[in-house]
Amino acid sequence: QGGEVLIKDQRCPLLGRVTLDQIIVDVTVLESCQIGDEAILFGADLLISELAEKAGTISWELFTQIMPRVPRVY
C-alpha cells in the first residue's frame, strides 16, 4: 500500500500488487512517459526504508526479493 517509484524526478504510485518481478505504475502525473524511461525503485530521493515501512517489512527483505535479472546500478 502506498508504494512509489521515481520517473523523471516525479513520484509515481504503484498500481495493484507486485507480480513476481513486475509492477504497474500510474504515470498520469507526468507530462510524457515513454518506453525506456528510467524508473528508480529506491535511492537517494526514495529510501528503501520508506518502502519497507509501507510494505510492513524491513529493508533487507526487499533487497533480497529483487530477482537477478534486474540490473543493479551502484
Side-chain angles (χ1 to χ4, degrees):
Q1 294 282 346
E4 299 171 310
V5 300
L6 286 177
I7 301 174
K8 297 184 176 185
D9 296 323
Q10 294 269 7
R11 286 183 177 235
C12 299
L14 299 181
L15 296 175
R17 303 181 133 245
V18 174
T19 305
L20 295 175
D21 63 349
Q22 297 183 19
I23 58 175
I24 298 173
V25 179
D26 179 355
V27 296
T28 56
V29 298
L30 302 176
E31 286 188 28
S32 67
C33 185
Q34 298 177 354
I35 293 173
D37 285 348
E38 181 179 57
I40 300 172
L41 302 178
F42 44 84
D45 295 322
L46 189 60
L47 301 178
I48 187 78
S49 57
E50 181 184 338
L51 183 58
E53 184 178 328
K54 290 178 181 180
T57 189
I58 61 173
S59 301
W60 189 249
E61 182 179 2
L62 296 181
F63 281 131
T64 60
Q65 297 295 320
I66 300 171
M67 301 294 177
R69 73 183 186 107
V70 176
R72 274 98 166 132
V73 178
Y74 300 97

